[in-house]
């Protein structure tokens, strides 16, 4: 099998690294999988311990990401959960992090719906980023396929993502939002839009 790593994030304690990856079997074509993919179809999130002296990574196991192309991972500010989003399946998932840095199976999974105006690139949801705010109250998903920045309320006590509490923000049609970044002051957010090559600022 061949593994392609798409994104990585470091735990707030700097002792663990988490990665989103796609595992392909020998002979499998590029781009295999698509909307409707389910758990175990090639997409994984993995945990690694970071050697504080050498920086070497020690594998701590992996969990199915409930899709084929998990393209982004982030850790909640309290260090208790890993969040992932899958580009092909439009899936947002939440994984408990154990005390030793390893991951448990997903405790919550959401499958996004919708489409955009671009005939080739927006025929369905394509989550490209999931990022919690500094206080761990919300996680924001940039969905390239639906032209939305979708907030999910984070329930860190029960390990749940709650959709629809705050309405999604629509970008310009065909913008294709890819990544979100927060200003250090906590009052501004910036979104990189891939399809129309723009950056949008939000309060």
């Amino acid at each position: 099998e061949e593994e392609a790593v798409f994104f990585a994030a470091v735990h707030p304690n700097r002792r663990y690294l988490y990665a989103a990856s796609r595992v392909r079997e020998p002979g499998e074509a590029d781009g295999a999988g698509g909307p409707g993919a389910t758990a175990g179809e090639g997409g994984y999130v993995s945990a690694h311990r970071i050697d504080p002296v050498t920086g070497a990574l020690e594998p701590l196991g992996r969990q199915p990401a409930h899709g084929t192309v998990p393209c982004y991972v982030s850790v909640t500010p309290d260090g208790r959960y890993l969040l992932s989003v899958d580009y092909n399946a439009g899936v947002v998932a939440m994984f408990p992090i154990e005390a030793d840095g390893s991951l448990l199976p997903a405790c919550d999974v959401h499958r996004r719906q919708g489409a955009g105006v671009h005939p080739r690139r927006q025929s369905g949801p394509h989550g490209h980023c999931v990022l919690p705010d500094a206080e761990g109250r919300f996680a924001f998903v940039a969905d390239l396929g639906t032209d939305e920045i979708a907030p999910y309320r984070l329930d860190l006590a029960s390990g749940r993502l709650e959709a629809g509490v705050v309405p999604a923000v629509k970008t310009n049609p065909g913008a294709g939002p890819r990544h979100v970044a927060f200003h250090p002051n906590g009052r501004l957010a910036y979104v990189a839009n891939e399809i129309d090559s723009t950056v949008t600022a939000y309060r």
Side-chain angles (χ1 to χ4, degrees):
E1 65 182 25
E2 175 186 347
E3 184 169 9
V5 176
F6 298 112
F7 203 84
V10 175
H11 193 281
N13 67 17
R14 318 301 292 178
R15 295 167 55 194
Y16 308 110
L17 179 140
Y18 301 93
S21 62
R22 161 90 176 137
V23 176
R24 295 188 303 175
E25 298 299 328
E28 182 179 322
D30 287 339
T38 57
E41 292 185 350
Y44 292 92
V45 290
S46 57
H48 310 263
R49 181 179 292 110
I50 304 172
D51 187 297
V53 177
T54 67
L57 299 178
E58 174 192 347
L60 296 174
R62 66 188 186 189
Q63 295 290 345
H66 297 264
T68 59
V69 184
C71 61
Y72 199 99
V73 287
S74 58
V75 182
T76 56
D78 64 358
R80 293 169 57 196
Y81 296 96
L82 181 75
L83 305 173
S84 75
V85 67
D86 187 275
Y87 183 83
N88 272 2
V91 165
V92 185
M94 187 173 186
F95 302 82
I97 297 175
E98 292 278 72
D100 65 356
S102 61
L103 295 170
L104 292 176
C107 55
D108 201 10
V109 176
H110 290 252
R111 190 174 298 275
R112 293 184 48 74
Q113 304 292 328
V117 299
H118 195 285
R120 285 192 304 107
R121 304 197 58 197
Q122 294 184 311
S123 59
H126 293 307
H128 221 310
C129 170
V130 57
L131 191 65
D133 67 356
E135 295 179 355
R137 297 171 58 231
F138 293 92
F140 295 84
V141 172
D143 194 318
L144 183 147
T146 65
D147 285 327
E148 290 179 322
I149 312 300
Y152 290 77
R153 191 176 73 84
L154 283 169
D155 186 340
L156 300 177
S158 61
R160 292 289 180 266
L161 291 163
E162 192 174 349
V165 176
V166 178
V169 173
K170 296 292 290 187
T171 66
N172 288 335
R178 177 175 176 132
H179 280 179
V180 179
F182 296 117
H183 193 282
N185 67 19
R187 297 190 299 272
L188 300 169
Y190 301 91
V191 175
N193 301 300
E194 178 176 324
I195 297 178
D196 71 358
S197 297
T198 62
V199 175
T200 308
Y202 296 90
R203 181 174 293 107

